[in-house]
Amino acid sequence: MGVHEVNHTITRMVDSAMSAHSASDEVREQLLTLASRSFASATDLDSDAAAQLERAVAGCVRLGVSLDTALSIVIGAMELVISIETPPTADSVLRAVRAATEIVARVYKQARSNERVDEGRAVAAALLRGDSAKILGHCSHIGVADSYTILAMRLPPLRGRHHEGPPTAAEPVAARMYFEVRRRFGPSALTLLADNGATILIPDTAPNDYAALAAFNDCLVTADGTVPTALTMHALTTDLPAVAEQVHAALDLATRLGMTGRLHRFSDIAVEYQLTRPGPGRDALSTVLDPLEEHPDLLATLRCYIDSGLDRRRTARRLHLHPNSVDYRLKRILRLTGYDSTDPTGLWNLRSALVIRDHHTEYTALGA
């Protein structure tokens, strides 16, 4: 069979494949490209030929060509090689057919995976907006649960990123997240990426206890050992928009206060969250540390004392002081503020004032 006959046969094969359904000229050209790439690679499917074939298959996916049609074109074009005057060995063609069909299967599988990701993202966005009814008609195969565990996650900065906006599903950290969400919580768990993190909705029918969520968070550790910061809370589906807003506000607060690198329950940070909400309580506590404004050494000592578990010797070591110097500073804090850091009530007020101060300071810095 000569070149003219081969081209004629390929054209007839493509036209026959298209006769079963209406298709555009663009689809026909793409199928002709796929057939010619397949024919050319039947005897030598090296890396370059494989890459060209993969691009041709991806073009078919983009234009909506079915998997059956793509496979029939690839296999049919490769079988033509056996009809030429000096055919290669059947084994070499068989190896090429196997490799080519694996390429087709992989590209179509990835496309289906991307479609599921897109649909899941659309459903998650609709649930978080409170208008799930609009999307369910288009994604009816994604079941909506009566309630969800919301997992808000702050991802570590991604090195080497050259664009703004949410990470794409193809980026390693996002791809690993999607894979682990599906593997651990099932296909009904939904993920919505944001610029610096994600919102994951885990249905009440999936394992969603604290241990399972913490294990998921820890598995996303980066190469340099950084663990994402996350916060979780349960909500009825009808309450998702309001509760998700609270969860992300609490996660933002945890990040500002340096409570990073682990999973928090909302209850873990409920006191700090409430302290930072507008109201007379916050206004009153916000003035407790005003007398220390001109004494940064006392503020540093109070912060270190609390962070050291109220251990004065550990505080002294961290500040390179004698323990008696720590005692002296704590007494000065008592004289200036009227609150005793060694008394439970006084300590609560001082620590609460520090939370409000840190939140306000970080919020002001971010807004500058």
Side-chain angles (χ1 to χ4, degrees), residues 21 39 60 81 111 118 139 160 180 186 196 212 245 250 290 292 298 356:
H21 57 279
F39 180 84
C60 290
V81 177
D118 291 341
C139 303
E180 290 293 342
N196 58 356
E245 184 176 349
D290 286 353
L292 305 184
L298 298 184
I356 295 171

Side-chain angles (χ1 to χ4, degrees), residues 102 153 161 185 347:
E102 288 175 1
M153 182 170 290
R161 290 196 77 201
F185 308 119
L347 178 65

Side-chain angles (χ1 to χ4, degrees), residues 151-157 177 196-200 213 216-218 220-222 226-232 247-248 250-265 269:
L151 183 63
M153 182 170 290
R154 183 69 57 87
L155 298 172
M177 177 184 293
N196 58 356
T199 304
I200 300 171
L213 298 176
F216 165 71
N217 189 63
D218 291 344
L220 297 178
V221 59
T222 61
T226 303
V227 178
T229 303
L231 195 140
T232 181
V247 170
H248 276 281
L251 176 62
D252 183 59
L253 174 61
T255 304
R256 293 178 183 178
L257 297 180
M259 303 167 65
T260 57
R262 68 186 185 92
L263 171 69
H264 300 276
R265 302 176 183 89
I269 198 173

